[in-house]
Amino acid sequence: MNLKRILIFSTLALAISIGESIGSSTASASTAVKPKQQEAKVVKEDIVQILGLSSDEELYHALYDGKTMADIAGETGADMNRIIHLQVAELTDQLNQRLTQGSITREQYEAQKSELTEVVKRSVYGS
């Protein structure tokens, strides 16, 4: 598997795991987190919809076949800026949770957050 596919699959796996981890609430979760959980699920669904695909599986297969999200968007006429914005928002939510839970420091949070847009753009365009 080449580097392009590894980057694409890593991003897709991260997006899916974010949706699953945010979507699975525990009984002890505070009510303040629940709106973010619902928001993250909507973001995940919107990416598939924006790309003009019918399911996550269709996206997975297109990426597995070597297409980038930019390739798919070009075929369907999707708005790349909207896709990038949604992925950055999803990853920012995950960073916010990690900071709140204390699994990263404020400095780590700031460093990772400052790189999000560039990382997402490289993933979307496969570069």
Side-chain angles (χ1 to χ4, degrees):
M1 191 177 292
N2 66 27
L3 184 58
K4 178 180 173 182
R5 283 189 177 178
I6 292 171
L7 181 61
I8 292 168
F9 284 122
S10 298
T11 302
L12 181 60
L14 178 62
I16 290 171
S17 68
I18 290 169
E20 289 173 359
S21 68
I22 291 173
S24 61
S25 61
T26 61
S28 63
S30 71
T31 57
V33 176
K34 289 183 182 176
K36 287 184 182 180
Q37 292 171 343
Q38 292 170 351
E39 181 179 316
K41 286 183 183 179
V42 171
V43 169
K44 180 181 169 194
E45 293 169 5
D46 283 346
I47 290 173
V48 171
Q49 292 170 353
I50 291 169
L51 285 171
L53 304 176
S54 60
S55 67
D56 288 342
E57 289 178 14
E58 188 176 359
L59 174 58
Y60 173 83
H61 288 297
L63 294 172
Y64 183 79
D65 289 340
K67 293 181 181 179
T68 64
M69 283 196 202
D71 295 334
I72 299 165
E75 294 170 1
T76 63
D79 181 357
M80 287 306 305
N81 288 326
R82 190 167 172 206
I83 292 167
I84 291 168
H85 174 75
L86 289 172
Q87 285 192 326
V88 168
E90 192 172 77
L91 292 171
T92 299
D93 284 346
Q94 182 189 27
L95 277 178
N96 291 339
Q97 280 189 330
R98 291 177 65 204
L99 180 63
T100 301
Q101 294 169 347
S103 63
I104 60 174
T105 65
R106 171 61 70 180
E107 293 78 21
Q108 291 170 320
Y109 172 86
E110 294 297 334
Q112 291 176 20
K113 188 173 178 183
S114 71
E115 298 174 343
L116 280 182
T117 301
E118 185 59 35
V119 168
V120 169
K121 282 181 181 179
R122 282 189 305 222
S123 172
V124 165
Y125 290 103
S127 55

